[in-house]
Amino acid sequence: MWRLARNIIPTRCNLRRRGVVLDTVCPLCFDADESSNHLFMACPMTLQVWFASPLGFQPPPQTDLNAWLQSWLSAKEPLAVQLFCVCLWKIWFFRNQAIFNQVVFEPRMVAASAHDFVSEFNLANPTRSVDRLQIPAQVWIAPPTDFLKANIDAGRDKHGKVTWGLVIRNHESEVLFAATQSPDIMADPLLVETLGLRWGIQTVLELQLSNVMFELDASVVVKCFNGLSTIASISPFISDCHDLFGSLVGSSVSFVNRSCNVAAHELAQVAKSIGSRTWVGNAPLKVWSLFSLDLFL
Ligand SMILES: [Zn+2]
C-alpha cells in the first residue's frame, strides 16, 4: 500500500521513468500504458476484478489513484478496507503471474482469491477483531446457482426527498439489472426503507424474475416483513409488500450489513443527482463515478 501511495510500485511506466528500456503497454489489456492509475483503476481487466469482488463497485474514472486510496483508507468499514487492500495486492500479484509465469489473468479468479484470502486470514486471526470474525455476513456474496440477489437501499437528500437503488446479480456476481429511483416524495427513514422494499419487489415482478433473494440493510423492515416485529406506521406498506411478494416464486427477504449492500447504497446516493434510471446489465461507469466524486467533497 505504501509503495502504491508513493507511486513507486514497479509498473512499466514507473520502470521506464527510472530509465529501464521496455515496452510500457499494459500486460493485461494491451490497450494503454501501464501506469499505476491504469493498472488499478482503469484497466478493463481490473474493472472486472473490482466488480466481481465482494465490494462490487467500479473505481471512479479520471480520479487520481492516491486520492482514491486516501478516501478508502479514511472513510470505510475495517472489513471493506481490508478487502480493498487485498484486492489491490492480488491484482498486483496476478499481474506479475501473467508477466513472469504466463498465468492468464482471470478477473473472477483474482476477485475470488482476494475474498478467500481475507476469509482465511480472519478465521485464523479471530482475536484481531470480533467484527471481522464472520466474513460471510460482512461482505456481499453471490447467491447459489439458479438464484438471484436483489440488493435494495434507500437514501434521502438534504431536503428529505426519497431515493432508492437496486442491483440484481446472479450467482456469478454479474449485474443483470440496476436501477435508481427518485419518486419525489418525503418520508421518514423507516418508511423510506419500507417503500424501497416495495419498489424493489415491484421491479422484480415487472422483470418476471423468480428465486430472488432480496437483501436490505434495514433490520427493522426485514423483521416486520418476516413477521418478527410490528410497527404501526409501516404496517400498511409491509402488507403491500406481502401482497406483491405472494406472486414471486422461491424468494426471500433478508437483512445484511451495510458492508454487503454497498452497490445498492451507492446507486441510492447517485439517484439524488440523476433521478430515476434503469439499466439492463450494469450501470455505466459514469454513474458509479458520480457517487465516488461525492466522497471527495
Ligand atoms: Zn490494461
Side-chain angles (χ1 to χ4, degrees), residues 26-34 38-39 42-46:
C26 170
L28 305 182
C29 68
F30 303 99
D31 199 35
D33 282 340
E34 193 204 33
H38 172 80
L39 179 64
C43 180
M45 300 298 278
T46 309

Side-chain angles (χ1 to χ4, degrees), residues 13-59:
C13 286
N14 281 348
L15 288 173
R16 166 72 70 88
R17 249 194 356 228
R18 279 190 244 157
V20 180
V21 179
L22 84 176
D23 184 358
T24 54
V25 73
C26 170
L28 305 182
C29 68
F30 303 99
D31 199 35
D33 282 340
E34 193 204 33
S35 63
S36 306
N37 255 58
H38 172 80
L39 179 64
F40 294 101
M41 298 185 71
C43 180
M45 300 298 278
T46 309
L47 295 183
Q48 292 180 53
V49 174
W50 288 119
F51 215 89
S53 80
L55 296 166
F57 67 86
Q58 303 279 23

Side-chain angles (χ1 to χ4, degrees), residues 1 3 12 52 82 87 90 129 180 211 242 245 278 294:
M1 284 301 288
R3 282 202 301 171
R12 289 178 165 181
Q82 195 185 17
C87 276
K90 288 290 182 181
S129 160
T180 58
N211 295 359
H242 284 153
F245 199 73
T278 57
D294 277 353

